[in-house]
Amino acid sequence: MQFEITKEYIENIQQLIIDKHDNTLLKSLEDVHYADVAELIEELSTEDSLYIIKLLDSDFTSDVIAELDEDDREKILKGLSSKEIAEEIDELDTDDAADIINELPEEQKEEVISQLEDVEHAKEIVELLRYDEDTAGGLMAKELVKVNENWNVLTCVKEMRAQAEEVTRVHSIYVVDDSDVLKGRLSLKDLLTTSTRSPITDVFIKNVDSVNVHDKTDEVARIMQKYDLEAIPVVDELGRLVGRITIDDIVDVIKEEAEKDYQMAAGLVDDVEADDSIIELTKARLPWLVLGLFGGLGSVFIMEGFDAALGNYKELFFFTPLIAAMAGNVGVQSSAIIVQGLANDIIKGSLFKRLIKEVSISLISGVVLGLLIIIFGLVTSMDFKFSFTVAISMLCVIIIASLIGTFVPIILDKRGIDPAIATGPFITTSNDIFGIFLFFYIAKSILGF
Amino acid sequence: MQFEITKEYIENIQQLIIDKHDNTLLKSLEDVHYADVAELIEELSTEDSLYIIKLLDSDFTSDVIAELDEDDREKILKGLSSKEIAEEIDELDTDDAADIINELPEEQKEEVISQLEDVEHAKEIVELLRYDEDTAGGLMAKELVKVNENWNVLTCVKEMRAQAEEVTRVHSIYVVDDSDVLKGRLSLKDLLTTSTRSPITDVFIKNVDSVNVHDKTDEVARIMQKYDLEAIPVVDELGRLVGRITIDDIVDVIKEEAEKDYQMAAGLVDDVEADDSIIELTKARLPWLVLGLFGGLGSVFIMEGFDAALGNYKELFFFTPLIAAMAGNVGVQSSAIIVQGLANDIIKGSLFKRLIKEVSISLISGVVLGLLIIIFGLVTSMDFKFSFTVAISMLCVIIIASLIGTFVPIILDKRGIDPAIATGPFITTSNDIFGIFLFFYIAKSILGF
């Protein structure tokens, strides 16, 4: 059932473009889904892509353009005139249209908007441009089906048919009063299973979830997931129905959110992708590396402070990378669990219980790992007092590292800062320094140097 | 619009349970969404939860139970008899029903199934139990609306009304032939906008995406996201329609996939949550820590091998945590970008181009960081030759670490192994060892000790 873009298919298309065999080209692309054409375009040169975009109908290419990666879309739009862009946007739903206009250079935005043919559509797009990208208003579309609570069912069905022509997918039919205030919804299922003679007030569901136009997108995602909604109406401050958000847009929000956390944990500052430019990738990577460098230079100072140990206990220095790695790994594990727990809203109970739990986990892990070190010491005939010291210090480092990993994200979250920034290099670097200091300090207390 | 579970609300409910004020309790819980009751139950003791579950109707509590966390559900189900569990399952859609039965202890499964009242429903659940959890069959529900291609529209509408009663949400109406082979679909929108007199063969869309019952869930997720589908029909080997998958189940797959990658990157072996038990959490964390320990012991050997440097260049040992941290951070960054690129299918172009790109990025980063080290050396009046050596060695370590981080996931992916296991502790540990060895080796070549 799935269409696959093979190398042969791409080469065939490229040859058809060179030969300008427009009819054969049109034939090869007919019946191909717009998402597949978008994938094809990502493989072609900008010139070839523009050739195809200009050849095909704008009611099809508009969907292709909306489907493209932001970077690829930018290249295509640069090759189109404002008039041509306006033609594409005329065909799109308001939410996709507003997203694309938002990506245009400032000076081109007005020009494109002024060339839109459908004035009603243009007005709705301009309204959407007012909202922040990360709010319900920035995510919603104006396309929806609504009926007035005072209508009878026959009027509703007639009106709905007319409205449904404009809407790609009908999820719910919203019921509003004369001032457009959201009153409830009609489910399509009820519509299928109810006699057409029933009065509308008898049929519609009065209790309907909605979000405010200024609600954050991650909150909208949480609500839609929790209540298993496929679409949610968006209301303004006065409760008036101004748009609706569908689950496919929320899927993108959820994915982006998850990817952002993953990238932060991996020490990437910006949202980068493997096919971004070298400069973009470096800009996303270098900041955390510089932080790591400063952390590393900090531990140079700490170790210089303990260089008296070089006399009798030079092996302590051989163990520092191990200690630093343990502190880092334990810290990242603890913080990842907390960050995910915070995101899924399952960090419950008192902080004291959480403390007891973390200490217990690190005690068990620390004792197991400490025993392994002592066994290693026996096998390599190390001085017992020395390997015991390393084991004990490591146990302390693990406990402290796990507490830092646990409580730094909790504290950040309480202060309204995204706890995900605490994962990855931030925790590893601070745990490195702290772990190395603690290791030498405890070793010095036991061994005395 | 949203309901919030406050501490007062919980205490009030707990008091009502103690006082056995069933009527007031029923009143407090009426109009509360099942997802909110599920959240409430996660806050209550098992006894109190069971009191509420037994008090409320099973057509409501079945949804509550399906909504619970797996751990919480297990506790509740342990407190219910097989007969009571069967009553709950009778109310659920086949996909949720099969999931819950799958979680029961082996010996209880048959008992619960034999007590189901609706025989047709029970048969469908048993059919679903045959499929692997991570396949389309394991995800799909049997509830769907289908019509025969030979029917006329009037028969269809009548049949659909009857079928829709059984289905929570009607997404698409599937069209099948006499042998149940999937032929196409009727969109609800077309239904709203078409005259009831049209023959069905004229109305239905012949081209319909579908997945095979044995397709993996992540492949289903990819297809549904790419084509922006809200439901997809599932067919067996003979093309017969056997079920459908809806987008809300796919949202869970996407989230779990993203969380799994994140947890692997953070060095967690199992899918754990903050509120899991100490034993479960330790089991998920310890394996990577042990690996890290062995890695650390490996670097102890390496440093012992270079202990001649302790004479004139003891500072080299102070720099090892810095070098290890850099190797780890760079490796994790590179692998995270590749793992995400592989997941989103955007790793294109030749491996040689990828190599050039990674080397360029690490050269830029390495030179910047190297200069910072040389400046640090000047400020702390370090020997120039020494700080230059550290900078050059670090540059080499960064290049090699980024290549390991890039190519290990690519190679794993080519061999059909989940590349995500290469992120996190695996890359950090191997890069630690390799980085430290390279650092000392290059330092020895330049400084000669």
Side-chain angles (χ1 to χ4, degrees):
Chain A
M1 274 288 152
Q2 305 316 318
F3 176 82
E4 183 132 23
I5 295 179
T6 58
K7 222 175 153 184
E8 291 74 45
Y9 182 78
I10 296 172
E11 280 166 6
N12 177 31
I13 295 283
Q14 285 168 328
Q15 194 55 51
L16 289 172
I17 294 173
I18 293 171
D19 301 342
K20 298 208 193 311
H21 279 172
D22 291 358
N23 285 332
T24 327
L25 196 54
L26 280 172
K27 227 182 188 86
S28 317
L29 292 169
E30 117 190 315
D31 292 333
V32 180
H33 192 282
Y34 64 78
D36 290 312
V37 175
E39 237 175 50
L40 168 71
I41 279 186
E42 286 170 8
E43 301 284 337
L44 294 178
S45 69
T46 311
E47 291 68 42
D48 287 357
S49 303
L50 283 167
Y51 191 90
I52 289 180
I53 297 279
K54 287 180 181 177
L55 182 68
L56 296 170
D57 255 7
S58 62
D59 71 331
F60 180 78
T61 54
S62 58
D63 285 329
V64 174
I65 291 175
E67 189 72 20
L68 288 175
D69 227 295
E70 210 175 312
D71 303 340
D72 292 299
R73 182 162 48 237
E74 199 188 325
K75 280 181 221 151
I76 299 291
L77 293 181
K78 271 195 185 145
L80 298 177
S81 69
S82 294
K83 177 85 196 132
E84 285 167 324
I85 296 176
E87 278 167 18
E88 303 285 349
I89 286 176
D90 263 324
E91 300 289 340
L92 285 173
D93 277 355
T94 46
D95 54 344
D96 291 331
D99 288 347
I100 292 181
I101 290 182
N102 252 331
E103 288 169 27
L104 292 174
E106 230 28 75
E107 62 282 6
Q108 206 182 5
K109 280 183 190 170
E110 295 241 0
E111 213 181 308
V112 169
I113 293 168
S114 69
Q115 307 240 30
L116 291 174
E117 270 198 1
D118 182 342
V119 180
E120 207 43 52
H121 193 227
K123 260 199 243 165
E124 291 180 337
I125 295 171
V126 170
E127 187 200 323
L128 291 184
L129 289 176
R130 288 206 324 251
Y131 301 109
D132 264 351
E133 248 189 280
D134 66 337
T135 64
L139 205 60
M140 72 184 184
K142 300 295 292 178
E143 285 82 5
L144 50 81
V145 179
K146 65 178 176 186
V147 296
N148 189 298
E149 59 173 347
N150 300 317
W151 293 350
N152 61 40
V153 171
L154 272 183
T155 323
C156 280
V157 171
K158 235 190 283 170
E159 271 292 325
M160 273 158 37
R161 285 195 182 174
Q163 292 179 27
E165 296 277 3
E166 297 286 313
V167 180
T168 320
R169 275 184 207 130
V170 179
H171 284 89
S172 270
I173 297 133
Y174 299 114
V175 181
V176 294
D177 67 10
D178 291 333
S179 330
D180 243 6
V181 170
L182 180 68
K183 288 305 202 179
R185 67 183 174 90
L186 270 171
S187 87
L188 281 169
K189 194 182 138 187
D190 291 338
L191 208 79
L192 273 175
T193 53
T194 312
S195 145
T196 41
R197 276 157 304 188
S198 332
I200 187 121
T201 35
D202 286 6
V203 184
F204 86 83
I205 304 155
K206 265 103 191 167
N207 209 335
V208 59
D209 284 304
S210 65
V211 290
N212 185 282
V213 77
H214 298 299
D215 285 347
K216 293 279 172 209
T217 50
D218 53 352
E219 176 63 11
V220 178
R222 204 187 58 76
I223 292 169
M224 289 187 74
Q225 276 183 86
K226 179 169 170 191
Y227 298 112
D228 270 343
L229 305 175
E230 303 198 338
I232 198 164
V234 182
V235 297
D236 66 9
E237 291 81 352
L238 301 172
R240 288 177 305 195
L241 179 64
V242 290
R244 64 145 189 191
I245 294 172
T246 50
I247 187 75
D248 53 317
D249 296 319
I250 289 299
V251 168
D252 296 338
V253 170
I254 294 169
K255 262 199 97 169
E256 274 167 32
E257 198 69 25
E259 288 189 353
K260 206 193 65 194
D261 283 359
Y262 180 68
Q263 293 193 323
M264 283 212 206
L268 301 165
V269 176
D270 294 316
D271 181 17
V272 281
E273 286 180 350
D275 57 357
D276 283 345
S277 74
I278 291 174
I279 298 300
E280 282 172 299
L281 284 166
T282 308
K283 264 163 67 184
R285 296 171 62 159
L286 201 48
W288 278 130
L289 294 180
V290 171
L291 177 88
L293 184 83
F294 288 136
L297 295 177
S299 42
V300 170
F301 277 118
I302 291 172
M303 291 166 85
E304 268 175 358
F306 288 101
D307 72 348
L310 278 171
N312 288 323
Y313 303 106
K314 59 175 191 187
E315 286 89 356
L316 280 180
F317 291 89
F318 303 164
F319 276 94
T320 43
L322 187 156
I323 297 297
M326 283 296 148
N329 287 345
V330 167
V332 169
Q333 287 181 336
S334 303
S335 63
I337 290 172
I338 292 296
V339 166
Q340 255 184 6
L342 290 168
N344 294 330
D345 220 6
I346 54 163
I347 302 298
K348 292 164 205 147
S350 69
L351 288 182
F352 182 71
K353 271 195 200 151
R354 174 80 27 211
L355 182 92
I356 297 294
K357 195 167 187 175
E358 272 302 312
V359 172
S360 313
I361 296 169
S362 8
L363 257 180
I364 300 173
S365 306
V367 168
V368 172
L369 297 167
L371 285 174
L372 286 175
I373 287 206
I374 288 174
I375 293 170
F376 173 81
L378 292 173
V379 172
T380 58
S381 46
M382 215 178 262
D383 175 41
F384 182 76
K385 193 177 171 193
F386 178 81
S387 60
F388 182 76
T389 305
V390 172
I392 288 292
S393 321
M394 188 183 63
L395 176 63
C396 299
V397 168
I398 286 176
I399 291 172
I400 299 295
S402 86
L403 292 181
I404 293 177
T406 302
F407 288 97
V408 169
I410 290 181
I411 292 165
L412 288 180
D413 187 61
K414 289 223 161 141
R415 307 199 159 207
I417 302 169
D418 183 350
I421 67 156
T423 53
F426 183 81
I427 286 283
T428 7
T429 304
S430 49
N431 276 3
D432 271 10
I433 303 182
F434 208 78
I436 290 171
F437 173 76
L438 200 68
F439 172 65
F440 276 99
Y441 186 82
I442 295 172
K444 189 175 176 174
S445 318
I446 301 179
L447 299 172
F449 47 80
Chain B
M1 274 286 153
Q2 305 316 316
F3 175 83
E4 184 133 22
I5 296 179
T6 58
K7 221 175 155 181
E8 291 74 45
Y9 182 78
I10 297 172
E11 280 166 5
N12 176 29
I13 295 283
Q14 286 167 328
Q15 194 54 51
L16 290 172
I17 294 173
I18 294 171
D19 301 341
K20 295 208 195 311
H21 280 172
D22 290 357
N23 284 332
T24 328
L25 196 54
L26 280 172
K27 226 183 189 87
S28 317
L29 291 169
E30 119 191 314
D31 292 333
V32 181
H33 192 280
Y34 63 78
D36 290 312
V37 175
E39 238 175 50
L40 167 71
I41 279 187
E42 285 170 7
E43 302 284 337
L44 295 177
S45 70
T46 310
E47 292 69 42
D48 287 357
S49 303
L50 283 167
Y51 190 89
I52 288 179
I53 297 279
K54 287 180 182 176
L55 183 68
L56 296 170
D57 254 7
S58 62
D59 71 331
F60 180 79
T61 53
S62 59
D63 285 328
V64 174
I65 291 175
E67 188 72 20
L68 288 174
D69 228 297
E70 209 175 313
D71 303 339
D72 292 299
R73 181 160 51 236
E74 198 188 326
K75 281 181 220 151
I76 300 291
L77 293 180
K78 271 193 186 148
L80 297 177
S81 70
S82 293
K83 177 85 196 131
E84 284 167 326
I85 296 177
E87 278 167 18
E88 302 286 349
I89 286 176
D90 263 323
E91 300 290 341
L92 284 173
D93 277 355
T94 46
D95 54 344
D96 291 332
D99 288 346
I100 292 180
I101 290 182
N102 252 331
E103 288 169 27
L104 292 173
E106 231 26 78
E107 62 280 7
Q108 206 182 4
K109 281 183 190 172
E110 295 240 1
E111 213 181 308
V112 169
I113 293 169
S114 68
Q115 307 240 31
L116 291 174
E117 270 197 1
D118 182 341
V119 180
E120 208 43 52
H121 193 227
K123 261 199 243 166
E124 291 180 337
I125 295 171
V126 170
E127 187 200 323
L128 291 184
L129 290 175
R130 288 206 324 252
Y131 300 109
D132 264 351
E133 248 189 281
D134 66 338
T135 64
L139 206 59
M140 71 185 185
K142 300 295 292 178
E143 285 82 5
L144 51 82
V145 180
K146 65 179 176 187
V147 296
N148 189 296
E149 59 173 348
N150 300 317
W151 293 349
N152 61 41
V153 171
L154 271 181
T155 323
C156 281
V157 171
K158 236 190 282 170
E159 270 293 323
M160 273 158 37
R161 285 196 181 173
Q163 293 180 26
E165 297 276 2
E166 298 287 313
V167 179
T168 320
R169 274 184 209 131
V170 179
H171 284 89
S172 270
I173 297 133
Y174 300 114
V175 181
V176 294
D177 67 10
D178 291 333
S179 328
D180 243 6
V181 170
L182 179 69
K183 289 305 204 180
R185 66 182 174 90
L186 271 171
S187 86
L188 281 169
K189 195 183 135 187
D190 292 337
L191 209 78
L192 273 176
T193 52
T194 311
S195 145
T196 41
R197 277 157 303 187
S198 333
I200 187 119
T201 34
D202 286 6
V203 185
F204 85 83
I205 304 155
K206 265 102 192 167
N207 210 336
V208 59
D209 285 304
S210 65
V211 290
N212 185 282
V213 77
H214 298 300
D215 285 347
K216 294 279 173 209
T217 50
D218 52 353
E219 176 64 10
V220 179
R222 203 188 57 76
I223 292 169
M224 289 187 74
Q225 275 183 85
K226 179 170 170 189
Y227 299 112
D228 270 345
L229 305 175
E230 303 200 335
I232 198 165
V234 183
V235 297
D236 66 9
E237 292 81 353
L238 300 172
R240 290 177 304 195
L241 179 64
V242 290
R244 64 145 190 192
I245 294 172
T246 50
I247 187 75
D248 53 316
D249 296 318
I250 289 299
V251 169
D252 296 338
V253 171
I254 294 169
K255 261 198 98 168
E256 273 167 33
E257 199 67 25
E259 288 189 353
K260 207 193 65 194
D261 283 359
Y262 180 68
Q263 294 193 322
M264 282 212 205
L268 300 165
V269 175
D270 293 316
D271 181 17
V272 282
E273 285 180 352
D275 57 357
D276 283 345
S277 74
I278 291 175
I279 298 300
E280 282 172 299
L281 283 165
T282 307
K283 263 163 66 183
R285 295 171 63 159
L286 201 48
W288 277 130
L289 295 180
V290 171
L291 178 88
L293 183 82
F294 287 137
L297 295 176
S299 42
V300 170
F301 277 118
I302 292 173
M303 290 166 85
E304 268 174 357
F306 288 101
D307 72 347
L310 279 172
N312 288 322
Y313 304 106
K314 60 176 190 187
E315 287 89 356
L316 279 181
F317 292 89
F318 303 163
F319 276 94
T320 42
L322 186 155
I323 297 297
M326 282 296 149
N329 288 344
V330 167
V332 169
Q333 287 182 336
S334 303
S335 63
I337 290 173
I338 293 296
V339 166
Q340 255 184 6
L342 290 168
N344 294 329
D345 220 5
I346 53 164
I347 302 297
K348 291 164 207 149
S350 70
L351 287 182
F352 182 70
K353 271 195 202 153
R354 173 82 26 213
L355 182 92
I356 298 294
K357 195 167 187 174
E358 272 302 312
V359 172
S360 313
I361 295 169
S362 8
L363 257 179
I364 301 174
S365 307
V367 167
V368 172
L369 297 167
L371 285 175
L372 286 175
I373 289 208
I374 289 175
I375 293 170
F376 173 81
L378 290 173
V379 172
T380 59
S381 46
M382 215 178 263
D383 175 40
F384 181 76
K385 194 178 171 193
F386 179 81
S387 59
F388 182 77
T389 305
V390 172
I392 288 290
S393 320
M394 188 183 63
L395 176 63
C396 299
V397 168
I398 286 176
I399 292 172
I400 300 295
S402 85
L403 292 181
I404 294 178
T406 302
F407 289 97
V408 169
I410 290 181
I411 292 164
L412 288 181
D413 187 62
K414 288 223 160 142
R415 306 199 162 208
I417 303 168
D418 184 351
I421 67 157
T423 52
F426 183 81
I427 285 285
T428 8
T429 304
S430 49
N431 276 2
D432 270 11
I433 303 183
F434 209 78
I436 290 171
F437 173 77
L438 200 67
F439 172 65
F440 277 98
Y441 185 81
I442 295 172
K444 190 175 175 176
S445 317
I446 301 179
L447 300 171
F449 47 81

